[in-house]
């Protein structure tokens, strides 16, 4: 019987050249993730199958472009015209803050969006009255998965005056599932007059506020909804903290059992001697605190003017003073602004005597003062003569001490800070 001369379906499939869509899904994803958004869009236009595959990548993260048809207003128009892409959105990055169009955007329910970043450089282009804001606020929706909210407005002028929010702007932050807020270069003092039950972010874990103005009441209003605050980061390099540090305590003490990280970063220390009631922050109740970044004077008090010790003018010795302020469970200590900043390049100065005494005592008395303390980092290395004697002392007492530059920072990992062991710089696994 004569064999069939026609190729079988199996033969035809075996001889066909493979295309991108024949690759395993995971492999194709790894390849396309390396492409720019423009290249992804071009590839998606080749056929329907590739378009279906790439659309989730194309719309997962959306960035606007101010002054173009792709600004915030353009994004609102796009989502109105193409509601099919709304479920694909995970993150939105707005390079402008437009009071009206931002509210219009938040009036669209985006069921999968978990992050929004509003980052505006320069002054917002449009000012809107309270009545119009109030009207637009009524249409804004609570985004079901929004957990990360960044609001950043940085003026490009020498004054660096924070952008003033009004009472009606508080509605922008009324998102119940947010776990992290970052507020930068704004003045939210007006939030002091809103009802304390208005903001609803009960799951808030991380609160970062940078170069901003606010009152004690506004600060409390933003934090009070949280039931489990774990990370508080206050950065104020240009003008010092907005009020006496003691005023923070009534609010943050509510989280003494949950707060893992506290950072009070201020390179411009205010003259606490003008506030007689300030004698340092008592953090002994903060049993969960694992990482602290602070200037020693905020912790121990200002001490006497030109004194060589924080105990000058008191009846306490340095060990007892530290014990009356220091959280005993601390594992990492980052000390802020230990020298005066020099405007002359390469001119470095030694750390202040009272700060050296504090660090030396903490190292030598670690077992009684802070038995789990393993890391001490000193800021800022560019202005500092490295304290080599302290380095040698730290080695003897099993503490790792180093000096960091201003741009160096740490992103705390709660799992590591709460673990029973950690990995030292030499690779050894050690117990906290």
């Amino acid at each position: 019987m004569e064999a069939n001369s026609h190729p079988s379906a199996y033969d035809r499939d075996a001889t066909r050249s493979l295309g991108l869509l024949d690759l395993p899904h995971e492999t194709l994803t790894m390849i396309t993730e390396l492409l720019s958004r423009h290249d992804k869009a071009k590839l998606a236009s080749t056929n329907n199958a590739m378009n279906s595959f790439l659309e989730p990548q194309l719309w997962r993260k959306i960035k606007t472009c101010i002054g173009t048809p792709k600004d915030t207003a353009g994004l609102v128009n796009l989502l109105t015209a193409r509601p099919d892409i709304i479920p694909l959105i995970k993150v939105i990055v707005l390079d402008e803050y437009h009071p009206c169009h931002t509210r219009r955007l938040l009036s669209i329910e985006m069921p999968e969006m978990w992050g929004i970043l509003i980052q505006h450089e320069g002054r917002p282009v449009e000012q809107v009255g309270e009545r119009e804001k109030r009207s637009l606020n009524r249409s804004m929706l609570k985004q079901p998965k929004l957990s990360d909210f960044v609001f950043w407005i940085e003026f490009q002028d020498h004054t660096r005056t924070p952008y003033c929010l009004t009472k009606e702007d508080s509605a922008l932050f009324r998102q119940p599932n947010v776990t992290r807020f970052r507020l930068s270069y704004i003045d939210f003092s007006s939030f002091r007059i809103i009802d304390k039950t208005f903001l609803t972010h009960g799951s808030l874990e991380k609160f970062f506020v940078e170069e901003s103005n606010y009152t004690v009441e506004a600060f409390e209003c933003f934090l009070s909804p949280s039931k489990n605050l774990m990370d508080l980061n206050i950065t104020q390099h240009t003008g010092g903290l907005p009020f006496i540090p003691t005023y923070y305590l009534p609010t943050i003490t509510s989280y003494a059992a949950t707060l893992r990280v506290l950072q009070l970063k201020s390179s411009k220390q205010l003259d606490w001697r003008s506030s007689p009631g300030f004698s340092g922050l008592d953090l002994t109740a903060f049993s969960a605190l694992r990482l602290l970044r602070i200037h020693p004077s905020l912790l121990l008090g200002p001490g006497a003017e030109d004194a060589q010790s924080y105990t000058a003018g008191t009846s306490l010795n340095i060990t007892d003073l530290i014990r009356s302020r220091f959280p005993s469970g601390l594992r990492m200590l980052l000390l802020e602004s230990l020298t005066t900043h020099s405007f002359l390049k390469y001119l470095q100065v030694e750390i202040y005597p009272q700060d050296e005494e504090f660090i030396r005592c903490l190292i030598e008395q670690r077992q009684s003062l802070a038995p789990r303390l393993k890391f001490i980092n000193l800021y800022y290395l560019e202005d500092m003569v490295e304290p080599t004697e302290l380095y040698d002392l730290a080695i003897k007492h099993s503490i790792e001490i180093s000096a960091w530059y201003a741009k160096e920072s740490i992103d705390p990992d709660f799992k590591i800070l709460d673990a029973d062991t950690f990995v030292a710089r030499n690779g050894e696994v050690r117990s906290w």
Side-chain angles (χ1 to χ4, degrees):
M1 184 175 179
E2 184 178 355
N4 189 348
S5 60
H6 297 288
S8 66
Y10 176 83
D11 294 329
R12 288 196 302 271
D13 187 66
T15 58
R16 180 176 65 86
S17 59
L18 295 176
L20 281 175
L21 290 169
D22 294 304
L23 294 172
H25 182 93
E26 295 79 5
T27 304
L28 184 55
T29 299
M30 291 173 62
I31 294 172
T32 54
E33 287 284 5
L34 299 175
L35 300 177
S36 67
R37 180 178 177 82
H38 176 72
D39 290 338
K40 286 179 184 178
K42 291 179 67 175
L43 183 58
S45 66
T46 57
N47 57 64
N48 290 334
M50 186 59 75
N51 182 71
S52 297
F53 177 81
L54 284 174
E55 277 228 315
Q57 291 186 35
L58 282 169
W59 301 112
R60 181 175 57 204
K61 183 176 183 179
I62 297 179
K63 297 181 180 179
T64 62
C65 185
I66 188 172
T68 74
K70 296 181 179 180
D71 60 7
T72 307
L75 176 58
V76 172
N77 294 336
L78 172 67
L79 299 184
T80 303
R82 287 202 55 189
D84 57 299
I85 66 176
I86 293 176
L88 305 177
I89 298 172
K90 307 290 186 182
V91 178
I92 292 179
V93 180
L94 305 180
D95 68 341
E96 64 169 335
Y97 171 58
H98 192 292
C100 290
H101 299 317
T102 301
R103 284 169 166 79
R104 290 178 58 207
L105 178 65
L106 291 174
S107 297
I108 300 172
E109 183 174 351
M110 292 167 274
E112 300 299 323
M113 181 182 70
W114 60 263
I116 185 167
L117 190 157
I118 303 172
Q119 187 168 353
H120 188 113
E121 294 186 1
R123 294 182 178 274
V125 294
E126 181 176 327
Q127 299 298 319
V128 178
E130 293 295 276
R131 179 178 297 180
E132 186 173 0
K133 287 180 183 178
R134 192 176 304 116
S135 176
L136 291 167
N137 286 348
R138 297 190 186 102
S139 301
M140 286 197 298
L141 301 175
K142 297 175 182 178
Q143 304 299 331
K145 291 188 177 181
L146 181 58
S147 61
D148 198 339
F149 197 131
V150 177
F151 194 92
W152 174 310
I153 299 181
E154 185 172 5
F155 290 173
Q156 298 301 299
D157 58 34
H158 69 281
T159 64
R160 300 178 70 87
T161 306
Y163 176 75
C164 287
L165 298 178
T166 67
K167 176 186 176 182
E168 294 300 330
D169 291 320
S170 61
L172 293 167
F173 305 97
R174 199 165 189 249
Q175 296 293 337
N177 297 313
V178 170
T179 59
R180 175 182 177 266
F181 272 121
R182 180 175 180 178
L183 311 179
S184 302
Y185 304 98
I186 63 172
D187 185 334
F188 59 97
S189 300
S190 60
F191 289 10
R192 68 187 183 278
I193 60 176
I194 67 174
D195 192 287
K196 290 184 178 181
T197 63
F198 180 75
L199 297 177
T200 56
H201 39 264
S203 300
L204 184 69
E205 295 179 351
K206 300 181 179 182
F207 184 54
F208 301 170
V209 57
E210 174 186 21
E211 308 297 347
S212 296
N213 287 342
Y214 46 92
T215 65
V216 175
E217 295 81 7
F219 179 78
E220 181 183 1
C221 183
F222 234 112
L223 277 191
S224 59
S226 174
K227 303 295 188 295
N228 189 38
L229 187 68
M230 301 175 70
D231 189 345
L232 177 59
N233 188 324
I234 299 171
T235 301
Q236 208 78 19
H237 286 312
T238 57
L241 299 172
F243 42 76
I244 301 174
T246 309
Y247 293 166
Y248 285 103
L249 276 182
T251 301
I252 65 176
T253 300
S254 304
Y255 307 102
T258 63
L259 195 64
R260 303 291 197 278
V261 177
L262 174 60
Q263 301 191 57
L264 289 173
K265 297 182 286 185
S266 178
S267 60
K268 181 180 179 181
Q269 300 301 321
L270 296 182
D271 185 2
W272 305 124
R273 297 175 190 87
S274 64
S275 304
F278 179 67
S279 58
L281 296 175
D282 180 358
L283 300 180
T284 55
F286 288 76
S287 58
L289 199 59
R290 300 292 181 261
L291 185 151
L292 174 64
R293 181 171 178 177
I294 198 169
H295 188 278
S297 68
L298 298 184
L299 187 65
L300 304 178
E305 189 171 1
D306 298 326
Q308 301 295 301
S309 172
Y310 284 108
T311 60
T314 74
S315 59
L316 296 174
N317 59 46
I318 186 64
T319 303
D320 290 339
L321 180 59
I322 295 173
R323 184 176 286 112
S324 69
R325 299 285 187 272
F326 208 77
S328 60
L330 200 69
R331 299 181 174 187
M332 300 185 70
L333 176 64
L334 286 65
L335 294 175
E336 183 81 13
S337 305
L338 296 182
T339 63
T340 54
H341 178 70
S342 173
F343 293 97
L344 299 177
K345 195 174 183 181
Y346 307 122
L347 178 61
Q348 297 175 314
V349 296
E350 295 181 346
I351 64 175
Y352 296 118
Q354 61 267 39
D355 295 329
E356 182 176 352
E357 180 196 41
F358 162 60
I359 298 167
R360 183 178 295 276
C361 180
L362 195 56
I363 293 173
E364 293 176 338
Q365 304 294 325
R366 179 176 68 86
Q367 289 300 330
S368 63
L369 294 175
R372 293 191 172 188
L373 183 65
K374 291 295 190 294
F375 296 94
I376 299 177
N377 295 329
L378 314 177
Y379 285 95
Y380 299 98
L381 179 57
E382 54 265 45
D383 301 322
M384 183 191 306
V385 176
E386 290 198 73
T388 54
E389 291 185 5
L390 290 179
Y391 292 173
D392 295 336
L393 183 65
I395 292 173
K396 294 179 182 179
H397 292 271
S398 302
I399 290 183
E400 296 190 17
I401 185 171
S402 60
W404 283 11
Y405 290 100
K407 291 184 178 180
E408 293 184 271
S409 61
I410 187 169
D411 186 11
D413 187 321
F414 296 143
K415 291 182 179 179
I416 294 176
L417 291 175
D418 288 335
D420 294 328
T421 60
F422 70 97
V423 179
R425 291 177 183 173
N426 61 6
E428 294 181 5
V429 177
R430 298 180 182 176
S431 172
W432 282 108

